[in-house]
Amino acid sequence: IPISDINHAKDARGYLISLLRMPRVFIPPDAVQGNVVTISEARELHHLLDVLRVKVGDRLECADGAGRAYAGAIRRCSRRGIVMEISERSDERTPALRLTLAQALIRPERFEWVIQKATELGVEAITPLVTRRTMVRLATGRLDHKLSRWQRIVKEAATQCGRATLPTIASPQELRAAVGSLDPQAYVLMPTLATTAPSLNEELKTRSGVRTAVVLIGPEGDFTPEEVALAQRHGARPVSLGGLTLRSETAAIATLAILQHVFS
């Protein structure tokens, strides 16, 4: 093999490795001015400067949370801010399936795990649900803190999986309000053991070309039969995930993954 080819292969490999290692951060849209991005948020600066130890000349990728991404090299780097000169702009591909997860509140660490994995699975929106058997209740004074923490988890998960969009997280809603505001064009699935229902596999065989879907997931004690009937009146379709009793978070992620596989 000619030496020039070996050197070219080494250069290409190095370039690919540099792309894989390129740090990614989320920025507000107004951080982009002309051909530069200015990163000034304290948490992002700490991560870039103290954890990743970036320096002038390093390449960086920024996403605005709405699907727009920017890549370039750092031109100025200080505790007051990092300035990146944009060399590439791109738009995230519109997903084939617009997916919403309406997840009943469960124990905090499990609910946060669901948020993280749902983000990785491409959900567009997450709605925390309060149901008859919901054991976790959020104090009014803690709601802002919880929403801020959930949004931070979403951002970290999106950064990890390479998304340029951030799912929205609504304030907790009663099930009645959530199903009352469902998009009438959406395909709404409700995994449950509270009533006799076809398997998810059987149900999906009757559908094709789904572009908008909502998944309703109950708490540890499942939905009540009355809640299932309420959701059905608003177009939800109860389904079974099999004979085993799954944890709430397991049911959520299994259903989301299957829908993405079938319709994306």
Side-chain angles (χ1 to χ4, degrees):
I1 301 174
I3 294 297
S4 60
D5 287 353
I6 294 175
N7 289 336
H8 179 73
K10 287 181 177 179
D11 289 344
R13 180 174 179 273
Y15 177 69
L16 289 173
I17 291 175
S18 72
L19 287 179
L20 291 174
R21 292 178 178 173
M22 190 188 306
R24 166 182 270 245
V25 297
F26 278 90
I27 54 169
D30 61 7
V32 181
Q33 298 293 330
N35 204 42
V36 299
V37 173
T38 302
I39 302 165
S40 56
E41 199 273 321
R43 184 181 293 273
E44 298 291 7
L45 286 175
H46 165 70
H47 181 69
L48 290 170
L49 294 173
D50 300 326
V51 179
L52 299 181
R53 299 184 181 278
V54 300
K55 59 186 182 300
V56 171
D58 286 350
R59 288 182 59 78
L60 190 63
E61 186 175 20
C62 301
D64 66 2
R68 189 78 169 161
Y70 308 87
I74 296 174
R75 295 307 180 210
R76 293 200 299 276
C77 196
S78 73
R79 293 286 170 183
R80 291 184 297 175
I82 293 174
V83 177
M84 181 194 83
E85 183 177 356
I86 298 171
S87 60
E88 301 169 41
R89 302 171 188 253
S90 61
D91 290 311
E92 189 168 84
R93 181 178 62 87
T94 301
L97 178 66
R98 298 182 60 188
L99 193 53
T100 294
L101 172 64
Q103 165 73 50
L105 288 168
I106 52 179
R107 290 192 337 201
E109 69 277 10
R110 292 180 179 175
F111 189 81
E112 291 173 1
W113 185 85
V114 170
I115 290 174
Q116 180 190 69
K117 300 309 173 188
T119 300
E120 293 176 20
L121 286 168
V123 300
E124 185 177 272
I126 300 169
T127 300
L129 290 180
V130 178
T131 71
R132 174 76 180 275
R133 293 173 177 160
T134 297
M135 302 299 293
V136 175
R137 304 281 171 163
L138 298 182
T140 303
R142 297 282 294 170
L143 180 56
D144 287 345
H145 170 76
K146 277 294 184 183
L147 285 172
S148 177
R149 177 171 174 79
W150 293 340
Q151 288 160 355
R152 186 164 66 249
I153 291 169
V154 160
K155 184 183 289 187
E156 290 170 355
T159 300
Q160 183 276 325
C161 70
R163 287 183 62 169
T165 55
L166 293 176
T168 59
I169 303 184
S171 296
Q173 294 183 14
E174 297 283 343
L175 178 65
R176 181 175 297 277
V179 297
S181 61
L182 288 171
D183 179 352
Q185 303 302 316
Y187 180 42
V188 184
L189 289 176
M190 189 180 206
T192 181
L193 294 173
T195 187
T196 301
S199 70
L200 178 58
N201 181 52
E202 292 171 342
E203 169 62 30
L204 294 181
K205 286 179 179 178
T206 69
R207 296 284 173 153
S208 63
V210 172
R211 292 294 170 258
T212 303
V214 179
V215 177
L216 302 173
I217 299 292
E220 287 89 343
D222 203 347
F223 294 110
T224 66
E226 294 77 17
E227 288 173 327
V228 174
L230 170 67
Q232 283 183 286
R233 290 196 293 273
H234 289 86
R237 301 184 67 84
V239 292
S240 167
L241 298 181
L244 299 177
T245 301
L246 304 180
R247 289 186 183 274
S248 178
E249 63 271 27
T250 306
I253 300 310
T255 306
L256 293 175
I258 291 169
L259 287 178
Q260 286 287 30
H261 173 72
V262 171
F263 297 121
S264 293

